[in-house]
Amino acid sequence: MRYEVLEHTADVMIKAHGETLEECFQNAAFGMMDQIVDASSAEALVEEHITAEGSTLDDLLYNFLSEVLFIFDAKGLLLNEFDVTFGEGMLKCRAKGERFDATKHSPRQEIKAVTYHLLQVNEEEPSITVLFDV
């Protein structure tokens, strides 16, 4: 299981899983996109390079997911494949997907923002919990 939706009264919260933290970051990005539309319906036709910086893993996650959301909102790219690598205080990601098409990709709900509220990067499990403002 890449991610699961957790109960929350007003917003959307997911928990992303993986064998490594990189895989958790990848699955958190997929999970966010999958809450907006059916992310599995996108083909890997376009490649986008994403860089995020942060002094903590929480900052890195927040900045990374915010950039993925920005790319969807500003460029109309539905990304669904993510290859994340960590560097010193930064993250690089090669992401793939295609242009969003409401007739092809089933829209689900709008995510307005990634939040720090309840955000947790668990290095021991490994897993990620993140809350999105809808």
Side-chain angles (χ1 to χ4, degrees):
M1 174 175 28
R2 295 172 83 168
Y3 78 96
E4 61 186 300
V5 178
L6 302 177
E7 294 260 341
H8 192 271
T9 53
D11 293 314
V12 172
M13 185 167 38
I14 66 167
K15 183 173 186 177
H17 306 278
E19 295 293 320
T20 64
L21 272 183
E22 289 89 348
E23 188 177 2
C24 290
F25 272 64
Q26 292 165 183
N27 290 338
F30 177 87
M32 177 179 71
M33 295 308 299
D34 200 44
Q35 293 306 299
I36 298 170
V37 300
D38 178 7
S40 65
S41 66
E43 297 178 60
L45 302 175
V46 177
E47 187 169 287
E48 185 79 16
H49 293 271
I50 301 167
T51 303
E53 296 181 359
S55 56
T56 66
L57 286 172
D58 289 357
D59 290 341
L60 204 54
L61 177 66
Y62 176 87
N63 293 337
F64 169 58
L65 294 178
S66 294
E67 185 65 20
V68 171
L69 185 60
F70 173 78
I71 290 168
F72 177 76
D73 288 340
K75 295 184 177 181
L77 291 180
L78 168 54
L79 301 172
N80 70 343
E81 291 182 22
F82 302 90
D83 183 17
V84 170
T85 56
F86 292 123
E88 188 66 35
M90 67 176 297
L91 166 155
K92 289 185 179 184
C93 176
R94 191 180 79 217
K96 295 181 181 176
E98 68 177 304
R99 295 232 169 265
F100 172 67
D101 178 350
T103 61
K104 178 181 179 182
H105 311 110
S106 302
R108 294 184 171 158
Q109 63 189 332
E110 179 185 3
I111 290 181
K112 297 176 189 172
V114 180
T115 71
Y116 272 105
H117 182 63
L118 301 176
L119 187 140
Q120 180 184 23
V121 177
N122 184 331
E123 294 181 71
E124 293 176 19
E125 190 174 340
S127 68
I128 287 172
T129 303
V130 62
L131 180 71
F132 304 108
D133 182 20
V134 295

